């Protein structure tokens, strides 16, 4: 009887642990991956010379609440392409507590936004730098790996 019960319990426990592990990774990784997309993904064509792009986008993407995020880069590529960076060329992370930094295999279209000195929320003001194509580095986490941080 005891053996029978453990024969049933064991697979159930294994299943439960697997479910917990899956739940945990999706809970822990999810928000950071979502935040990365919110802060860095803009798959459209970019500012195309529009000087108010950064003012509008930094506010729209929630980076001007409480403080004006000083710098941010938007990536004008598709999400699958940006995700694929995590399966590409591994490079050391500058921050030693971070792991899994990767550099894009191809240059990617990006726009850099920088807060002007003295801008304060809710009126954060940014310089919209011209869009450039450059190799980018991201830190990835989770299973499957997803970008969670921009930069080395
Ligand atoms: C400039 O870019 C912002 C953000 O994408 C957009 O909301 C705004 O309409 C654009 N302005 C012009 C003149 O195209
Ligand atoms: C280094 O990475 C850790 C983990 O991602 C982060 O919490 C910490 O703020 C980072 N430190 C610096 C100086 O960026």
């Amino acid at each position: 009887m005891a053996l029978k019960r453990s024969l049933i319990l064991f697979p159930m426990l294994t299943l439960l642990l697997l479910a917990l592990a899956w739940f945990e990774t999706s809970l822990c990784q999810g928000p950071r991956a979502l935040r990365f997309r919110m802060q860095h993904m803009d798959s459209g064509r970019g500012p195309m010379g529009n000087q108010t792009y950064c003012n509008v986008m930094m506010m729209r993407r929630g980076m001007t609440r409480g403080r004006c995020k000083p710098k941010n880069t938007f990536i004008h590529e598709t999400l699958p392409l940006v995700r694929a960076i995590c399966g590409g060329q591994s490079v050391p992370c500058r921050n030693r507590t971070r792991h899994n930094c990767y550099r894009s295999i191809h240059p990617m279209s990006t726009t850099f936004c920088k807060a002007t000195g003295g801008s304060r929320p809710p009126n954060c003001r940014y310089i919209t730098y011209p869009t450039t194509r450059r190799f980018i580095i991201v830190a990835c986490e989770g299973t499957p790996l997803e970008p969670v941080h921009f930069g080395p």
Side-chain angles (χ1 to χ4, degrees), residues 48-108:
M48 307 278 291
N50 172 351
Q51 289 301 309
T52 64
Y53 174 85
C54 285
N55 290 344
V56 174
M57 289 296 286
M58 293 300 288
M59 186 168 77
R60 193 182 283 166
R61 299 301 186 86
M63 288 175 273
T64 61
R65 291 192 208 111
R67 75 193 255 270
C68 306
K69 188 180 179 189
K71 305 181 224 173
N72 192 64
T73 301
F74 288 102
I75 311 167
H76 315 300
E77 302 286 347
T78 63
L79 187 58
L81 267 180
V82 174
R83 272 191 179 138
I85 299 173
C86 299
Q89 188 187 358
S90 183
V91 292
C93 302
R94 193 187 295 154
N95 179 338
R96 291 300 167 82
T97 63
R98 252 193 259 288
H99 303 286
N100 298 326
C101 287
Y102 297 86
R103 179 166 46 225
S104 62
I105 303 293
H106 306 286
M108 296 195 151

Side-chain angles (χ1 to χ4, degrees), residues 54-55 58 68-72 112-120 124-127 129:
C54 285
N55 290 344
M58 293 300 288
C68 306
K69 188 180 179 189
K71 305 181 224 173
N72 192 64
F112 182 62
C113 301
K114 190 172 187 294
T116 60
S119 77
R120 298 274 176 274
C124 298
R125 288 288 165 265
Y126 288 88
I127 301 168
Y129 284 87

Side-chain angles (χ1 to χ4, degrees), residues 6-35:
S6 69
L7 276 180
I8 296 170
L9 268 177
F10 186 71
M12 273 178 61
L13 210 66
T14 311
L15 267 179
L16 191 75
L17 284 176
L18 278 176
L20 262 178
W22 175 82
F23 198 60
E24 231 170 48
T25 50
S26 54
L27 268 185
C28 295
Q29 169 223 309
R32 299 197 68 203
L34 282 179
R35 200 176 82 130

